[in-house]
Amino acid sequence: MYCISRMLFSSRFLCVFRSMQKNIIWLSAAAGILLTACQAPKQPVPVLPQVEKPPVVAPAFMVSKWAMLPDWATLDLTPSWPALQQSCRALRFKPKWQP
C-alpha cells in the first residue's frame, strides 16, 4: 500500500498524468472540429408547382319517364318487394315520418 500511494503522489507520475490530460483535451477538441466539418450539406426543399383544381360542376339532372329505363317493362320486381317493406318498417318509427 505504501508503494502505491508513494507512486500516485510522486512528481513523475503527476507530470505524466498532466501531459496525458492535456493530450486528451487536444485530441477531443480536434475530433470535435473534424466531426463538425464532416456534416453533409443541407439539401434545398423542392418547391412543388401549384396545381389548379378544376371547378366542381354539379351534375345535370333531367326529368325522365319510367318507360325510358331499359327493360323496365320486362323485369320481375317481385324479389325487391320484401326489401322495400322492410325499409318502410324501419322508417315508420323515425320522427320525421310520423303523421
Side-chain angles (χ1 to χ4, degrees):
M1 182 82 171
Y2 175 73
C3 296
I4 295 173
S5 65
R6 187 171 181 194
M7 186 180 82
L8 286 177
F9 294 111
S10 69
S11 61
R12 183 174 179 203
F13 177 75
L14 290 176
C15 184
V16 170
F17 180 73
R18 285 185 188 138
S19 66
M20 282 183 10
Q21 193 176 24
K22 288 178 185 178
N23 287 340
I24 290 173
I25 292 172
W26 281 108
L27 284 174
S28 63
I33 292 171
L34 287 175
L35 288 176
T36 55
C38 292
Q39 289 181 350
K42 292 183 180 178
Q43 298 292 330
V45 178
V47 178
L48 299 176
Q50 294 293 330
V51 178
E52 292 184 25
K53 295 181 180 178
V56 178
V57 179
F61 295 108
M62 60 182 190
V63 179
S64 63
K65 298 181 180 182
W66 289 106
M68 294 175 67
L69 293 172
D71 299 331
W72 174 250
T74 60
L75 286 176
D76 182 25
L77 301 176
T78 309
S80 63
W81 182 248
L84 179 65
Q85 286 180 327
Q86 186 177 0
S87 67
C88 289
R89 273 187 235 121
L91 289 175
R92 71 178 177 183
F93 296 112
K94 301 282 182 181
K96 290 185 178 181
W97 288 79
Q98 296 297 318

